[in-house]
Amino acid sequence: MSRYNGPFGAAVPRHPDFHAGMMAQALLDTPFVQSAKPGSGSSSGSGPGKPSGRRWPLLVKLAVTVVVLGALAAGADWAGIAARLSAADPWLFAAGFAVKALTLPFASQRWRAVGRAAGFSLTRWTAFRLQMASGFVGQILPGSVGADLLRGWFTWRLGHPAGPVMLALLVDRLMALLGVVLIGLVGLPHLAAVAPPAVAGTVLAGALVLAVAMGLLLLAGRIPRDRLPIPKRLRDGALGRTVWGAVAQLRAMAGNPAAWAALGHSIGVHLATITATILFARSVGLPLGWLDGLAIVPAAIVAAALPVSLGGWGVREGAMVAGFALLGFDADAALLVSLLIGLSIAVLSLPGGLFWLLLRSETAARTAVPTSHGGPDAFPTDFSR
């Protein structure tokens, strides 16, 4: 087993089961039909082109999406929904679509900012291409996690070190979560006024848990790894070194202005989604106000990001219907607004298919050229140094 230098100078084993080819299969081929390759006629059922144990989570998430959407559709008054849609204000509808489109540059700039904080640089155009490609494929991947991994994988294939890219993926998710929590706290007083105490209390408790966890993480990063009160075997193992190296890197990034710029872009993404929801609601005759949007939309954003359905479909609609019900709005109208948000995301993601194909071609040309991060089949993850 050969070895190569990891992203922070650590020697990392290059194992044949841990290379970019398998990651390409997981991130690019799994959502689509895999073609059988020569020599794949094994009866084990685990070869290329055959179902494997990695497929069942995708099937479960597909089932969740279908069941939730089916339940909502079965109880909906589709004639009433069609009537609302036909009478929609076209100018407000177009404004909602345009505002929703602003989430794309905001999200791409967030990725560019966390990359800068992690130690690699992207141009605005490259960051936008990566965002568009990952957004397109993310429509059939679970929650936002699959799209994030695809964006990181393409970023690495463009020649950026794997360790900083993986760190940037983690920080990108943290900033997205922190941004929606901050917005949720702004809307919390209005939520407390219209919802049962348990609902507002759950939101507040979640925010406090996140704040405490992040604080403990930053404080823990000050402790040298060799002084951790855990067994030496765990502390000095590959997993221990990787985890604690990542914690130390996160703590170092906390003082980086680029990381906080990413938080600003994250807030911009969520505010654009909330504004688009308000505009779509008003276009179909629902008098949704700003405080209403700040109170209920953050929960739908979090629900859609959970890796429990495909592209957030189903759970987003369920969360939106439940939130609108707290405000006294009709469930059918809430379902319509949520579907408009989902459809706007899908339509805006369609051009990403071209970016995805171009990035696949561009990065495939790089695989034959050894790079400074260990060659085309090396995807190091050691944060220990």
Side-chain angles (χ1 to χ4, degrees):
M1 183 182 300
S2 61
R3 300 177 73 84
Y4 59 90
N5 289 331
F8 300 102
V12 184
R14 179 186 293 168
H15 194 281
D17 287 338
F18 187 61
H19 56 73
M22 288 190 69
M23 180 161 278
Q25 286 288 105
L27 297 181
L28 296 179
D29 295 337
T30 299
F32 307 96
V33 179
Q34 295 182 351
S35 59
K37 297 178 178 62
S40 64
S42 170
S43 60
S44 64
S46 59
K50 292 182 178 290
S52 69
R54 291 179 301 178
R55 297 284 180 85
W56 73 264
L58 187 63
L59 295 176
V60 169
K61 287 151 190 167
L62 175 61
V64 169
T65 302
V66 171
V67 168
V68 176
L69 284 178
L72 291 171
D77 175 13
W78 289 103
I81 289 175
R84 277 186 178 274
L85 189 58
S86 63
D89 185 321
W91 293 107
L92 288 176
F93 184 89
F97 189 87
V99 172
K100 185 59 184 172
L102 293 177
T103 61
L104 298 173
F106 274 128
S108 68
Q109 287 306 297
R110 183 179 68 199
W111 179 238
R112 183 168 179 256
V114 296
R116 190 163 62 248
F120 62 91
S121 180
L122 297 170
T123 65
R124 288 184 175 85
W125 177 239
T126 298
F128 183 75
R129 290 191 300 146
L130 291 167
Q131 178 62 38
M132 290 296 295
S134 63
F136 169 74
V137 181
Q139 287 302 297
I140 58 171
L141 293 177
S144 62
V145 177
D148 288 345
L149 291 176
L150 180 67
R151 184 170 62 250
W153 186 78
F154 269 138
T155 302
W156 170 72
R157 286 283 293 269
L158 288 173
H160 299 288
V165 169
M166 295 182 72
L167 183 65
L169 285 174
L170 177 59
V171 175
D172 184 74
R173 283 298 89 202
L174 286 175
M175 289 305 176
L177 179 59
L178 184 57
V180 76
V181 167
L182 290 175
I183 292 175
L185 288 176
V186 173
L188 185 60
H190 186 62
L191 180 64
V194 299
V199 175
T202 300
V203 173
L204 182 59
L208 290 175
V209 168
L210 177 64
V212 171
M214 293 185 68
L216 290 176
L217 189 67
L218 295 177
L219 290 175
R222 300 174 61 92
I223 305 174
R225 182 166 53 84
D226 57 3
R227 294 186 182 180
L228 291 175
I230 59 176
K232 187 176 186 299
R233 180 173 59 86
L234 296 176
R235 186 180 63 212
D236 296 336
L239 180 60
R241 295 197 310 270
T242 298
V243 170
W244 212 246
V247 170
Q249 291 292 326
L250 284 174
R251 182 177 179 277
M253 288 179 68
N256 193 315
W260 297 107
L263 177 60
H265 294 307
S266 180
I267 292 174
V269 169
H270 301 320
L271 287 178
T273 297
I274 292 171
T275 304
T277 302
I278 294 171
L279 290 170
F280 282 139
R282 292 183 178 179
S283 73
V284 296
L286 288 184
L288 192 69
W290 268 101
L291 290 179
D292 297 329
L294 293 173
I296 65 171
V297 178
I301 293 173
V302 173
L306 295 175
V308 296
S309 69
L310 297 183
W313 286 96
V315 290
R316 175 181 54 239
E317 283 67 36
M320 197 77 82
V321 168
F324 273 59
L326 293 175
L327 300 172
F329 291 128
D330 182 72
D332 292 332
L335 178 59
L336 174 58
V337 172
S338 183
L339 290 174
L340 289 176
I341 288 291
L343 289 173
S344 68
I345 296 172
V347 171
L348 289 167
S349 299
L350 287 177
L354 177 61
F355 288 104
W356 174 61
L357 292 173
L358 293 174
L359 280 169
R360 288 192 71 179
S361 176
E362 180 180 344
T363 56
R366 292 174 175 264
T367 58
V369 182
T371 65
S372 61
H373 55 271
D377 63 342
F379 196 85
T381 59
D382 195 330
F383 289 87
S384 59
R385 298 187 186 178

